[in-house]
């Protein structure tokens, strides 16, 4: 795959602000393990190889079990995810692929049983952020692994 353009170079101020948002989210109410699962699942749904590669490596560095990463594509059938994680994954999917008539009440109610209002708001921003990154990286055909050294992902030893 050949990268179309480097939006980091073309829009440095915007990228910097988007990175600032991501850094704020890291200090938010959603635990790192759920943010990792959300990022991987949204990237799978959006077909973003760059983000999928990056977030699998991050999850590995953060100690996520390899089998759980493999099960993400079939999380509904897997027994490896807790109810809070399942709710986060359902929320990720519905916001990534917005239904024609919006988010169904049953999904919202299910997620609300696992997350406080602030957590749900923070989780929504996590989903918004990864979907934004996915769209930019897919649009410009960012090459998976091309920023590993810069982002410290070479430490995952998954090459």
């Amino acid at each position: 795959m050949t990268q179309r353009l480097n939006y980091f170079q073309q829009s440095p101020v915007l990228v910097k602000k988007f990175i600032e948002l991501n850094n704020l989210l890291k200090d938010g109410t959603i635990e790192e393990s759920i943010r990792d699962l959300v990022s991987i699942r949204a990237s799978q749904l959006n077909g973003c190889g760059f983000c999928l590669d990056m977030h699998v490596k991050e999850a590995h560095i953060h100690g996520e079990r390899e089998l759980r990463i493999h099960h993400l594509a079939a999380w509904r059938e897997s027994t490896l995810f807790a109810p809070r994680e399942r709710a986060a994954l359902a929320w990720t999917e519905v916001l990534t692929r917005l239904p024609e008539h919006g988010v169904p009440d049953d999904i919202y109610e299910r997620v609300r049983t696992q997350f406080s209002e602030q957590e749900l708001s923070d989780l929504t921003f996590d989903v918004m952020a990864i979907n934004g990154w996915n769209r930019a990286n897919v649009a410009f055909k960012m090459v998976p692994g091309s920023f590993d050294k810069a982002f410290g992902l070479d430490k995952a030893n998954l090459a």
Side-chain angles (χ1 to χ4, degrees):
M1 172 176 14
T2 302
Q3 184 175 310
R4 290 179 171 156
L5 65 82
N6 185 332
Y7 68 90
F8 281 73
Q9 291 174 347
Q10 299 304 313
S11 303
V13 173
L14 296 175
V15 169
K16 182 181 178 200
K17 293 297 183 184
F18 209 29
I19 290 171
E20 287 176 17
L21 171 63
N22 277 293
N23 289 334
L24 289 171
L25 290 169
K26 288 179 185 178
D27 295 330
T29 60
I30 304 303
E31 54 268 43
E32 181 177 72
S33 61
I34 288 183
R35 285 194 333 271
D36 287 340
L37 297 176
V38 163
S39 293
I40 293 168
R41 186 63 185 134
S43 299
Q44 288 173 333
L45 294 171
N46 289 320
C48 183
F50 182 87
C51 289
L52 185 57
D53 178 82
M54 171 187 288
H55 295 294
V56 165
K57 289 172 181 171
E58 280 182 339
H60 182 76
I61 290 169
H62 297 153
E64 184 57 75
R65 294 186 351 237
E66 193 170 330
L67 186 58
R68 282 171 37 99
I69 293 171
H70 290 299
H71 277 223
L72 267 174
W75 64 268
R76 284 178 183 81
E77 292 81 26
S78 176
T79 59
L80 301 178
F81 300 100
R84 184 172 167 89
E85 294 169 327
R86 291 176 175 284
L89 292 168
W91 195 245
T92 299
E93 289 187 1
V94 76
L95 294 183
T96 297
R97 295 181 167 164
L98 278 173
E100 183 179 343
H101 299 290
V103 175
D105 289 338
D106 65 317
I107 293 176
Y108 176 77
E109 292 304 326
R110 184 169 16 135
V111 174
R112 279 286 294 126
T113 67
Q114 297 297 320
F115 293 91
S116 70
E117 288 184 357
Q118 183 181 354
E119 289 173 330
L120 184 52
S121 181
D122 286 358
L123 177 62
T124 300
F125 276 92
D126 280 315
V127 174
M128 289 166 48
I130 189 58
N131 275 287
W133 287 115
N134 287 167
R135 278 147 181 75
N137 290 319
V138 168
F140 300 122
K141 293 188 175 183
M142 298 296 284
V143 177
S146 60
F147 282 67
D148 279 6
K149 192 163 186 108
F151 293 154
L153 298 174
D154 50 338
K155 294 177 186 133
N157 295 319
L158 293 176

